[in-house]
Structure formats: C-alpha cells, structure tokens
Amino acid sequence: MSIAPRKQHDRLSLSTAFASTRAETEQRCQTLAIEDYQLQSMPDCSPPKWHLAHSTWFFETFVLAPHVPGFRPFHERFGYLFNSYYDAIGDRWPRVQRGLLSRPTVAEVYDYRRAVDEQILALIDTVDEPALQLIASVIELGWNHEQQHQELLVTDVKHAFGMNPLRPIYSLDAGNPQGDDAPMQWQSFPAGLRKLGRAGGGFAFDNEGPPHDVYLRDFQIATRPVSHGEYLNFIEDGGYERPVFWLSDGWAAVRNDCWVAPLYWERGKEGWSIFTLQGMKPIAAHEPVCHISFYEADAYARWAGARLPTEFEWETAGISGRTFSRGDVWVWTASPYTAYPGFRPAAGAVGEYNGKFMCNQMVLRGGSLATPAGHTRPTYRNFFPPDARWQFSGLQLAKDGAA
Amino acid sequence: MSIAPRKQHDRLSLSTAFASTRAETEQRCQTLAIEDYQLQSMPDCSPPKWHLAHSTWFFETFVLAPHVPGFRPFHERFGYLFNSYYDAIGDRWPRVQRGLLSRPTVAEVYDYRRAVDEQILALIDTVDEPALQLIASVIELGWNHEQQHQELLVTDVKHAFGMNPLRPIYSLDAGNPQGDDAPMQWQSFPAGLRKLGRAGGGFAFDNEGPPHDVYLRDFQIATRPVSHGEYLNFIEDGGYERPVFWLSDGWAAVRNDCWVAPLYWERGKEGWSIFTLQGMKPIAAHEPVCHISFYEADAYARWAGARLPTEFEWETAGISGRTFSRGDVWVWTASPYTAYPGFRPAAGAVGEYNGKFMCNQMVLRGGSLATPAGHTRPTYRNFFPPDARWQFSGLQLAKDGAA
Amino acid sequence: MSIAPRKQHDRLSLSTAFASTRAETEQRCQTLAIEDYQLQSMPDCSPPKWHLAHSTWFFETFVLAPHVPGFRPFHERFGYLFNSYYDAIGDRWPRVQRGLLSRPTVAEVYDYRRAVDEQILALIDTVDEPALQLIASVIELGWNHEQQHQELLVTDVKHAFGMNPLRPIYSLDAGNPQGDDAPMQWQSFPAGLRKLGRAGGGFAFDNEGPPHDVYLRDFQIATRPVSHGEYLNFIEDGGYERPVFWLSDGWAAVRNDCWVAPLYWERGKEGWSIFTLQGMKPIAAHEPVCHISFYEADAYARWAGARLPTEFEWETAGISGRTFSRGDVWVWTASPYTAYPGFRPAAGAVGEYNGKFMCNQMVLRGGSLATPAGHTRPTYRNFFPPDARWQFSGLQLAKDGAA
Amino acid sequence: MSIAPRKQHDRLSLSTAFASTRAETEQRCQTLAIEDYQLQSMPDCSPPKWHLAHSTWFFETFVLAPHVPGFRPFHERFGYLFNSYYDAIGDRWPRVQRGLLSRPTVAEVYDYRRAVDEQILALIDTVDEPALQLIASVIELGWNHEQQHQELLVTDVKHAFGMNPLRPIYSLDAGNPQGDDAPMQWQSFPAGLRKLGRAGGGFAFDNEGPPHDVYLRDFQIATRPVSHGEYLNFIEDGGYERPVFWLSDGWAAVRNDCWVAPLYWERGKEGWSIFTLQGMKPIAAHEPVCHISFYEADAYARWAGARLPTEFEWETAGISGRTFSRGDVWVWTASPYTAYPGFRPAAGAVGEYNGKFMCNQMVLRGGSLATPAGHTRPTYRNFFPPDARWQFSGLQLAKDGAA
C-alpha cells in the first residue's frame, strides 16, 4: 500500500502512533449523542458508528487475521457488516443501508475497538522482529486509513446535522477556516519538465507515486483560495443562471438539484448565512468559499477569466512554498483521478485501496481544517466525483502564461 | 372523530385511561436500545422515537393548543417534525426522512412526553365541567390514536430488526399467534338485508359508521384463519410461480419483488424458519400464516377454490360469535376501503383522520397479537395498500352459497 | 367471456359484424401518417400499429389456432410481440417498449390483418353448424374486444399528439362533446333493494354480471355532467391549491405532477384553451369537463358540497332514462372496480380478460364520443386507475337523501 | 471551431464537399423503412429523422440565419425541436423524447433538407468574396459535424434493430471489421518529450489542439486491436465474474446491468453469435472485439497483464504508422477527456461544440467501419462515457518499458 521505501519500525513508536490515532478518532465523537452515531443522511455518507467499526475491521482483517495464531474474529458477522469495498474479502452489507443497523450498539462497537486495540498492541509487543517489520507497514497503512475516516466522520456528521431542522451544533470548539484578508495575487512558474509524485521520505499512499516527469508550460497560480466575498460576486452576476460558464454535466446538476449557492448556504432576510460545525453563522467575506462541487469551481474559474490548476501545477506550487497551503479547504484541480505512469497497486485485497477508484473522479489537493495533520502534504491526492459538495472543498485559480 | 353518541366523561376515568395508554406505549419500548429508537427501515415505517413524539404532538396540538390559556408549544419546531399528515396544520418533515433525525434525542422526546402528560392531566383536573366534556372526546380520540401507533411501533421495529443480519430479538416475552389445531370448517350465513357498521355503545372511529343496510347473499366463512401448514401446500404447489392464481398487479409484485413466500420466511437446509419478535424460529404448522399481502391472500383463496370474504360478510360472522376472533392475525377482506353510505368526516384538521385515505387500500378485519385490547371489535376497519406485508396480516376463506 | 345466454348465430350476420368492426378500426387510422402508427407517448398508451396487430392476434389465437386444422401462425414471433397480458399464453414483449418496434412495418401489419380476416371469414363460411356456434361466441367477444381498442386507439393518439409541440390535428371531422346549456338539476331515487347488473339480452362482458341485489338509500343524481364553466369556478376558487378537498393520494398527485387544470388545458393570454382531436380551440363553457382523474372528480364533488355516485346509483339512474346518457364523457363513480357477488371468470386464457384487473382501479360509467355505439349501455363497466387522465373522463354529481 | 489556420475556400470545392456530405447522410438511410426513422431505443440514441433534421438545423442556424438577408426559418418550431445542446441558442425539446415526435414526418424532414441545401448552395454561389471566407469555415464545420452524425446514425439504428426480436437487417452491403489473423505483436517507443495535437494542415476540431509537449516514458503498444478469439479467453477465464480485474464503477456496471459479454453477443446452443448490421452471424475469432465499454476494455487489459494506452501513446504510435490503423474499431484509451494545455473554445454558441463535454468521458482513438473517411486521423479525439457500449468500440493493449 505504502510506496515508501522500507524503513525500520520500532515497537514503541509504532504503539504510540497507533494508539494516538485510535484516540483521535474517538475524540472526534466526544460531542455526539448515541443517536448521532447512526446517522446516514445520504448514500455517500456513513454513520459515525460505521467509521468506528470499519477502521477497526481493517486492523482486524489485515493485521490480526493473518498474524495472530488461532485468530477468532470478534464477531462472526462483523466482517460482513463492516467491509467497505474490498471485493476480494467477500460480500458486504449494502452501503446505502449502513444507517439501518441499530445493532451492534454504540457500546458494542466501542467494545470491538477495545478488543482489537488490545490485540494489536499485544501483537506489537510480542511478535518477533522479522514479523514486526512485516506487520508494521500494514499497521501504518491502517492508521493512515483511519485518519482518512477521521475527516469523513466530520464531513458526514456535518451533512446529517445540516439537514436536521434543529441545526445541531457539532462542537463550539471546532475550528474554522481562517481565510486571508489580503488581495489575491498570482505566482508565476516557468515552463519545463518537472519530476512530480512522491519519491520517499515517510509514509505515502500508493497513488502518490511513482515519481515521474511531467512537462508543464508557463503558468500562474493564485496565492490563496477564492473567498466567500469573491464567490458572492459570481452568484450576484448570475453565475448559477447562465449556462455559458458551465460544463454540460455541471449545468444539468444546477438545474436538476436546484443549486443557487454552495451547500449549507441559506438566504435570509439579512443576507446569506452558512451552517457550520458550530451551528449557523453569518457569512464572513474573507473566509475561503467551501462546499462547492468541481462543477461550481470550474464555472467560477471560467466566469473569472481563469481556470483551475492541474494537479501537477498545484503540486509544483505547493512544493515551492510560495502559495497558500494552510489547509483551510481542499481545492479542486482540473485533473481527473488516474494512475501515474508506472503505477501498480499492491497485491491482494489491500491493493483495492486506491487503484480501483481511478475513474469518474477529480483530484483535490491541499487539505482542510478536518484533515489530520500529516495528510496535508504536497503530494497527497484526494479525489471525489465532480458533483460532490459535502467535503470541505473550495478552489484556487490558475491561468496560462508567464507573469 | 368519534361516531359514538356523547357520553359523560368523569375526570378520574379520563385521567386513568389516558395515563395507562401513555404507559403502555412506553412499555412497548422497554427492550429497545437507544439506537433502535431511530430506525426507519422503509418509507412506510416510522422510528419508535417518532411514534412516541407524534402521539404526543397529537395531544399537544388538538387538546393543549386550543384549550390551555397562553399555550406555548414545548418546542417551536416539533410541530413541523412530528405532524404526520394533517395538511390543515401546515408543512411537515418528509415522511421518508423520519429516520434521519438524531435530534431531538430519545431523552428529549421522553421529556416532551412528560411535559405534555402533565399538562393534559392538569387540564383534566382543573378545567370546568362544560369544557371538560368538550376536551374529553378529543382526549379519547387521542388515546385511541396512540393505541393505533402502539401496534405500528411493534410492526415497524419488527421490520427493522428483520433486515438486520444480526436478527435482534425484540422480546422473549412477546406473544405468539396461538393458532388452532382443529381442521378448518365452514359456517353458513343466509342471504338477507343486514344492518352493519357501528351504531353506538362506546368509542369508535368515524369510519366504522354510520350504520347502514347491506344486502348479502348466502355465504360461508371459515371458522379460523389459514394456517402455516395449509399455506405451505400452496407454496409447494407452485403458488408463487403460476400466474393463473394472481391478480395482474399481484403477479407484477411477485415478479418485481421476487416473492417466494410470506415476509420473514427463510428457507434453510432444514426447511422454512421465520423471523419473529423472539428471533428466528422453525415454522409451526398450526399457527396462522402471517405477513402476507392482499395479493397473496387473494391468490391463496383462488388456489383453494374459495375467495376472500367481503368486510360485510366478515362483520356479520364476527357479530355472530361463530367464527374465530382471538386476534392472532388481521385478515384481508375483498373490500376496498371506501366510505360507508352517509359518511361525513369531522370538521377541521381532525377530520383528516380517516376519510382522506379512502382510496387504493383494502380493508382488514380482526386484530393481531400486537393490537391493543379494545381495538379488536367486529366493526373496526383496518386498511393498508394491497402490497403491504409488514403488518400482522393473514387471511380467512369464504365462499358462495348455503351449506 | 360473454355472460349472455347462448343465442343462435347465423353466418351472414356474424361475417357482417366481424367485417364492419374490422373496417371501423382501420377507418379510425385513415388520417394517420405512417410515423403516427408507432407512437407510444407513455407506458399506459399503445401505438396504433400495436392496437391493429393485437386485436388481430386475438382472433388468430383464440379462433384460428384452436379451430383451423393445420393452423400455422402468420408469423412465429407475432405471438410474442402482440400478446397484451394473457399470462396463460406465454411470454410477451414488454408493454413499455411497444413504441420501439419499427418492424413489422405498418404495411406488414395490414397484411397480417388481411390474412386473418380472410381466414376468419372462410372459417365462418365453411365450418359445420355445431362448431359454428362454438366459435361464434369467441368471434363476438373478439369484435367487442376490438371495439374497446378502437376507443383506446383514439385516446392514445390524442395523448401523443397532445405532447408534440406542433399540436397535430387528428381529424377535423372528429366529433366534439356537445354539452348542455341547461342548468344542472337533481333527479331523486328512493331507497330500496335493486336488482342490478346484466341479466341477458345480447352480448355483455363477464364483469357486467351476474345480476344481483343491492340496497340503495335515497339519493339524487345530477341530470348532466359537470361543465367546463362549472369546473372553472373550482379552479378559480383555489381548487388545485387547497388540500382540504382532496384525497391524500390525490393531493400527492397534484403536487408531484403539478396539476393545475385538467389534462390538455393550456393557459394563454386570452384565457384557457384546450387541445382536441381537431387541434387547439378555446374552451366552451357549456361542454362537459373532460380528461380529469378520479382524484379531480372527487375533489370537485367535495368542493361542490356533493359526492360522486356509486356505480349502482349511476346504473339505477341510467336504466331510468331520466338522466343524461348521450356519451359525451365517461363519468368517474365512487366505486372501486371489484367483482359482483357470484362473479366467476371464464376458464382458460380468455378468463384473464377482466377479473384479474379487479384491484386498484375505479369504475367509470357512460361512454364518450370515441366509444363504439353498442358499448354505451347502462351496465357497461369501464375502469381505470384513479390518476388516469388521458381517457375521455368527466364527472356527474350525486348526493344523499330525498328531494 | 476549427483550429486550422485560415485557408482559402473556392466556391466549387465548397459546394461539392457540402453536397457530397449531405448525399452520404441520406445514402445511409436508403435501406430504412419510414417506421425506422423514428426509433429511439435509449436516451443516448437519436432517431435517424432527428439526425437528418438536426444536421440541417445546424446549417440553417449558424450559416443561413446570420448571413441571408431577410432570413426566415423553414419552420418556426424546428429550432426548438432540433437543437441538440446549444444552451446559448435557447430552449429545446427534451433529448429523451426525440422518438415521440411523429411530426414532422420523414417527408417533411427531407423537404427541410432540400430547402436548406438550396439556400446554402445559392449562398455559396452568390455571396461576395470576403463573406465567402467568413461562411466557408462554418460550412466546413457543419459538414464535419454532419459526418459525426453519420456514424451515430448507424450506431443508433444498430442499437434499435438489435433490441427488436425480429433482428432486422440494416444492409447486407454494410461493411464488417476485417480483423487480422496475424498474432499480436508489440511495437516499442522510446521515452522523450513529444509534440502532440493538431498543428494545422486541413480541418480539425478545436479539441484536437493546440499542439503541446507531452513527456512519455518508454512504452509498447500492440500492433492490432484485441480479437474476438482473445476476448473469449477472458470470458471463459471468468472475466465477468472476478472483481479483481475491474474498476469499482466497472464492477458495479457488471452487476447492475448483468453484463456477461460484449453488447450484441448472444449465447446459443452452438456457441456465441453476434448481431451485426447484416443480421445475426456466428462469431469470427480473428475479428476485433467490438461494442465493449471502457470498463470492459480496462478489465481485459488488467487480466492480460497489460494496460490501455494513453491517448498520447496511441497518437505517437498512430503518427508512426507502425501500428494498425485501418478503422475497424475505435479503441478506448486510458485518458479522460480533458482540454489540452492552452485550449480555448470558440466564442459564441459554436463554442459549445466540444469544450463543455470535457468531464466524465474517456477518449477513444482510431475510427470504425462507420466512420466517414476523413475522420480517421491520428489526432481525432472521440469521447464517450466509460459505460457506453453501443459505439463500435474495442481496445488495443499497451505496456510500460522498452522492448
């Protein structure tokens, strides 16, 4: 799964990283009522309880099952219930019905986590050294996988809360995008052949590599993402009413789904407000626009006389350190999600991790306030279908030519 | 709503009946986990939490709001969330999304119940005598309404549990249909004009009257419902494979929904077993067949060389006391649900109770093990669409002619 | 199929009736372009070509196949293509895809008709007398069946033309409902037991009998159907905006399908106009309202402080000759379509004719300008789902009590 | 629209090319019955009549309307009926209902073609020289547009005929892919920066440029497309039953749409046969496999231990002349359809031609037996959604590394 060159794992740092990731996931559930754990507000979202159980199932299936002698699963049906999409592992409970499982209860799922945690930590402590190196890379993949679910857990709860007329508050302490008051500026990058993709130096997902050469023309990229204030100009200029700005599929989405603004925007008597993790609040002009689809990002860019950056342009800029990269919002790129030249997925079920989704999705780069720290790196490739809006997704402009 | 002639209500019996109904509803939730309260496994079902809140909303809206001076609702949005279908009251939360509301929590809904209970009981105690008689009939309607939701609460939980691969147990103490080992026999009733429908003598729903004359020909009706054993013969004779037995819409349902047996039947290596409120158990031949649609009831009857009774034939037999009426299962009748001659719904929103559903549904008569005691009466008209299978619905045969 | 007592058929009258029915069907296609023959504008409609072929297949399958020695079908696949719903006959082409068959061509379908016509006429001429009586009743059923398709052919073409922006004209000679300028009046009928249903005296469909006793209370029925002018008052009084008038399923249809007026009504600058078989024309106040669903008929009646007649009340009035019965529009009754007491369908595939549709439909009585002459009789039971609007369906009011 | 540098058009060659394209379109309809012209067997297909009219509307709208003084459209509603997707032009008849328009008739559509042909030819003859150069490029675009519809006309008729149980024959003279008996071989291409995309030299669509640099690694590409015989090995090895070969969305398509072989394959007692433009015929092992989706192409490649070429690899090979390029079948590439660096669509409605579809589609390269001659060129970019199977689409393998 990982494309990093093998490094030596020591038991203590392995245990610590594992345990702290597991704790962080549960920390993100601290403000939830039992009832909230079961919410699935649309097929693309999963209930918090499912995220808790699925990330546990991953460790149970890929670490404990092959490495613990006489392994017995915690519950014989959990494999069926909490497999997400690993076809090689067998049948699974339909994704759209994840919210219909009141049992196992939340308490039982936490028991499941405890039981697997203990076994993993015991395994790390007791396994012999050669086997340790063998399982360490899967455990490392497992916590990186769980970290991805940490972000989804937050976006999925936000979506479910956002449709409840009571507009529940996730947490008053949840962060907010800070945004940037400074005017947007352009950074120029000269044409040339660039070596992009992850070459080593710590964990990375397989889809971040292999490193490869890409020829880029002269381009410029904005120093920061587009802000609420700028996006409002697009709306007020008829952005959602004029097909000329839109891709054909995007315009169909606007019409069929009655989009008139980003997700979570509500128009009231005193103007727009937005639903956030801290409840409703008035719109702040300098914050980055968020919860827009690729189609909206693309339409805005066309309206603005610019375009979206390719993922290669964004990575070039990201590496340079000359543009915004704080992790307020992911930004949609112009790049469909495909394999890098020479990409080969890992053997076995773990190989289903990334490769089989390389169709019908667009790459996002950057990271958001809900992204675990280590995942905000220049080579990280996030990907979602072009109509997805419930992620913390914004945009950053680019254009052709030298300054 | 009620068609009963006005009777005098005294404060004590009113309070007692109200309180005991409210307690019984909560009693039926005693074995539920918090997570279970939120389950909505199909659009026709509602979560237990919703049943608890909606039946409370009914009292709040139709008793407290018009009769408590300076009335303030418990929560300003609960009217929107817990109105079921009263168009005259205003907009409401979409039925199919009742399972998506994690808030209010279960505890908050119980608080809501407590608050309304107290106000109702206080109102009964303190209102002056003329007003008492005014509100008493609405309170009586309200607890009869809540009793209807008591049965739905059980059938809805059963449906949700029945689709969970863990097959949770609702209660080991839940009753079972007792059935009858005796061979089925026919009871004959001679032709003639009969006065049917409720004429008074205690509470009844508006759709049970007015009393009216119906001419019936000679007919015979079975002494008991069709049993599992008898129904198995139908299955084994290709009942679900031969269109000749089926109504056109019924055959379409068989094909589209892949029906091969009643709902909750599972075929294993040792034959059929069924999912019950006590979990899975092997089929018992003498128990009445249950969880069949009108289409299946009608097809079975045609296969058996008989037919379903009209609701008027069933009522005639029911009044006579000569046929089974223990309340094991509701039985589908051949009668579409329509207004009796001279029927007029009550004025105002309460008038939406029954009349507006008099289309596209079939009448069931009798009662089930989940039916509150008083509702098992000869004139009670239950009604569901012809493809509904999640109710405790069976069938009882009839045929033309004298013995 | 027929419930009439056996009568003697003579060869000449049989041939004549057969041939004239066949000619009338083709006469109704005289103004069609080849392209029109293939139109299927919604699943409930069938292409004219299909009506031509299916009615021919009926004769081929139920008369020629069993009675012609060495019978060979005209085309081996036509049985598959042109069976409508006779499950006992075998598989069939999906109804919703009838418009997708460009082949056989229109010319080939006319060839099919010619070939079957010749064989039927030859059979009538040459069969011996006992066999003649045997086939005569099936032939008679066949032409009555074809006459039903004559009306459907017109309503289906009207629907297809009605959605074409060019609004093609079916025929300038097509009749129009004449309507009635006289004010509506009530005719009273006293309570009592009435013998209704067809008892003999010529051909009738099986669902028109058996004759049976029905007890009716005092009722009154309008002398004529509701007119355009009267219905406009309902619209202008907010009829389509106030849920209080509507059945629950009806109100759902109003909202989901955006009904604001009967089918084929268009609001322009100079008021309403309607699409007719002669193209667009302004609305005429005295004409009967047409192309409304059962839901609209029922809502209008409630708005008007009246109700729809049961089919038994209508039949009582129809027999009396004291009310309008010219055949301008069918009128929706309050009666769901069910079997009369003692009804038994014919044996074999022909028995699928009526009985298996006795669910989820409402009875209409009367006849329309597109109804073949003989079918406008007091006992004729037409039936359609309650949301159907493309038939020539209107309404006639009734109410309880003596004058 | 065209990216070619301006060339001088002379009146004669312009008229000739225009007229011969128009004639070729009609030639492709020569074997159709009137009834066939109206077929629309799925939303993605259009009726032949629509192709005939729409390609005419293109000339009328983009050439005649702006350049003929006092222009009057042939029919005021044809703009509404025959606009395909040009939002800037206005509303249009819904795509899915193109098959429901019996009027205008086929004869009227040919009249429309005649009328527009005459006006275009007259315009070419009479316009002054500066204006000639202005309209010439639009006319050239128009006939290239019409040529694209020539291929669609054939694929759409094939799809409609393929679902008719009578399996009509389009034409006994229709070509067949010839295939290649020789074993597949690999051609190697060395790594390096390559200039790809159309740089001039005759008409090209805007999406074929601008020319730009692409860095390619060492790769090898098959000398010919995958054959029926090879693809059968994939099927017989469980290709459609083993998720390991499939993209996630591809596997979902396999399961939901019950794919077990390419479109038009039928399994009989004597093995597979396929539906062709000449009717059913047994499968020929050496012919290229056709009518597969991108998902199937991708799965086959993974099964074969290879991959699909990118469009840039294919173009490199195509330019070299060292691989098959006869135009038997289009081949799916691994490249999502996006804009080339520096791409800018033309201004105005004509600019909607290609750019707005650059999402959710995959690029195909090559050409098929139904492709008009000039369109089979190395830079031509065809594109369809990854689940499309009704085009003449096959695959050609590629792999990494030097020979």
Side-chain angles (χ1 to χ4, degrees), chain C residues 33-36 38-40 75 77 80-81 93 97 100-106 161 163-166 168, chain D residues 33-36 38-40 75 77 80-81 93 97 100-106 161 163-166 168:
Chain C
I34 296 292
E35 292 87 340
D36 302 329
Q38 198 163 308
L39 287 172
Q40 182 179 33
H75 190 293
R77 300 296 281 159
Y80 176 75
L81 294 177
W93 181 248
Q97 300 186 345
L100 300 186
L101 298 172
S102 63
R103 314 293 179 92
T105 62
V106 172
F161 279 11
M163 72 184 306
N164 187 320
L166 304 181
Chain D
I34 296 292
E35 291 88 340
D36 301 329
Q38 198 163 310
L39 287 172
Q40 183 179 32
H75 189 294
R77 299 296 282 159
Y80 176 74
L81 294 177
W93 181 246
Q97 300 187 345
L100 299 187
L101 298 173
S102 62
R103 315 292 179 92
T105 63
V106 172
F161 279 11
M163 72 183 306
N164 187 322
L166 305 180

Side-chain angles (χ1 to χ4, degrees), chain D residues 90-112:
Chain D
D91 274 350
R92 56 185 181 274
W93 181 246
R95 178 176 187 163
V96 297
Q97 300 187 345
R98 287 175 184 164
L100 299 187
L101 298 173
S102 62
R103 315 292 179 92
T105 63
V106 172
E108 287 164 343
V109 166
Y110 275 111
D111 288 346
Y112 179 37

Side-chain angles (χ1 to χ4, degrees), chain B residues 11-32:
Chain B
R11 294 177 203 267
L12 180 61
S13 63
L14 200 60
S15 297
T16 307
F18 170 78
S20 72
T21 300
R22 299 286 284 171
E24 167 65 17
T25 307
E26 297 177 14
Q27 173 64 26
R28 292 187 178 215
C29 297
Q30 217 178 16
T31 61
L32 300 183

Side-chain angles (χ1 to χ4, degrees), chain A residues 35-42 47 98-101 160 163-164, chain B residues 35-43 45-50 81-82 93-104:
Chain A
E35 292 86 341
D36 301 330
Y37 281 88
Q38 197 163 309
L39 288 172
Q40 182 178 33
S41 50
M42 66 164 172
R98 287 176 184 164
L100 300 187
L101 298 172
M163 72 184 306
N164 187 321
Chain B
E35 292 87 339
D36 301 329
Y37 280 89
Q38 198 163 309
L39 288 172
Q40 182 179 33
S41 50
M42 65 164 173
C45 291
S46 294
K49 189 167 74 177
W50 189 89
L81 293 177
F82 299 124
W93 181 248
R95 177 176 187 161
V96 297
Q97 301 187 344
R98 287 175 184 165
L100 300 185
L101 298 173
S102 62
R103 315 294 179 91

Side-chain angles (χ1 to χ4, degrees), chain A residues 165-167, chain B residues 57 60-61 71-83 89 91 104 112:
Chain A
L166 304 181
R167 299 282 185 275
Chain B
W57 168 86
E60 189 184 38
T61 304
F71 166 80
R72 293 281 305 270
F74 179 80
H75 189 293
E76 58 173 6
R77 299 295 281 159
F78 281 13
Y80 176 73
L81 293 177
F82 299 124
N83 178 0
I89 299 295
D91 274 350
Y112 180 36

Side-chain angles (χ1 to χ4, degrees), chain C residues 374-390:
Chain C
H375 288 214
T376 308
R377 57 181 178 258
T379 59
Y380 191 99
R381 304 173 79 197
N382 199 352
F383 50 91
F384 280 92
D387 61 348
R389 313 210 305 169
W390 91 109

